[in-house]
Amino acid sequence: MSATFEFKSGYQDSAPAHVPQDLVHDFDHVDPAKFAEDPFGPFLALRDSAPPIFFSRHHGGFWVVQGYDDLKEVLRTPALFSSWPMNIPYVPAWPRKLVPVELDPPEHKKYRALLAPLFTPKAVELMEPIIRRSAEELVDRFQNESEIEFLEEFARPFPTFVFMRLMGLPLEDSDKLLDIEDRIMRPSHAPEVKIEAGEEIVGYMVRAIESAKQAPANDDELLSYMVHWKDQEQRGLTDEELLDMGFLLFMAGLDTVTSLFGFAFAHLARHHDLQQYLIDNLNNNDVLDCAIEELLRKFPTVNTNRTVLQDCEFKGVQLKRGDRIMLPIVLANHDPKHFDDPATVKLDRKDNPQMLFGHGPHKCLGQYLGKRELRIALEVLLRRKPFFSIPEGKRISTYGGGVMGTTTLPLSW
């Protein structure tokens, strides 16, 4: 597929001929100034300023789908809307399609089936000691501090510690991988910086895969499991497939969890009543699970993308093969047709079909792990250092892009 599509970059002076002028509404989801203090607000403002489906001339041109139902339909129709490539703007930071997230059915089925047993609710339950140990170790470090930079002290290292331990990688490499991840994911970095970081993670994963091959099989470590896996005909994964899957787990396991933590804990820091509600229910898993779903609904960090595979009409809009489509999950999760008073965080919200983890054949495999990490983080922080706040006079810095997040989050007690 990569040979048959050509993706432009930069701002386009005019929209393609098939795009009606009344559907053109320029929107740059990467603009640092626009998203420096609130990455969600500019998206939500589109409901009043732009058509339900509109075209932006930024980054080579792309469509934006706003409604929950329309967005859901795109995600569940891979025959028309391909998951390759993931990013807008397109940056070739990886030389191939990422397995399995950038593969379409039926090609991706084999790889998803291989990974799925590793991330079931039961499998994640078995991971809990590792997750909890990682959280406790980090809180130990700042237990006696009255103010910390939460991202650096907890939100970034926590999912990294979990990832390293689950993969069977040396914990002392955490800082190195965090630096690489930052250079790949932050929209402020130039394309050449992202590509260089991609090459670095290739080198790291090549060495890690070779090391796992030389060691005895250990199904408790994800990398060892993948390296020694065999299908019914005793065929294993190629080195390229192992690299692709390792890179995907690396990106998914580090950045998205950190981004979610930044927004969720910032909100709780501003609302001690919500902290009190959670503290009162720390032994009630049903209440905690409901609260976590609401935090996922309110603060979805992902703007996923699709590529049109053939000329078609979608909801009365003419689409052409090769058109890019952005699907902002924040707009789906704040759709008033599906969520009562979507602007308000209601930790006891019952009817909550939030879509942070997507929908359809590519729904995120790591959803149960991400939820468990958030729940354990909340439990540990609220038991040991409750009623955190944002220090007076301090500000939170945020950014937009494919995965939105915070760059600073000072907390005090």
Side-chain angles (χ1 to χ4, degrees), residues 3-23:
T4 61
F5 286 115
E6 243 180 75
F7 299 118
K8 298 178 182 178
S9 61
Y11 182 79
Q12 308 300 303
D13 290 332
S14 60
H18 67 283
V19 179
Q21 188 58 40
D22 63 345
L23 295 185

Side-chain angles (χ1 to χ4, degrees), residues 44 47 68 331-343:
L44 296 174
R47 290 204 190 280
Y68 182 101
L331 288 171
N333 278 8
H334 286 73
D335 191 331
K337 294 180 181 178
H338 289 268
F339 302 97
D340 176 56
D341 189 14

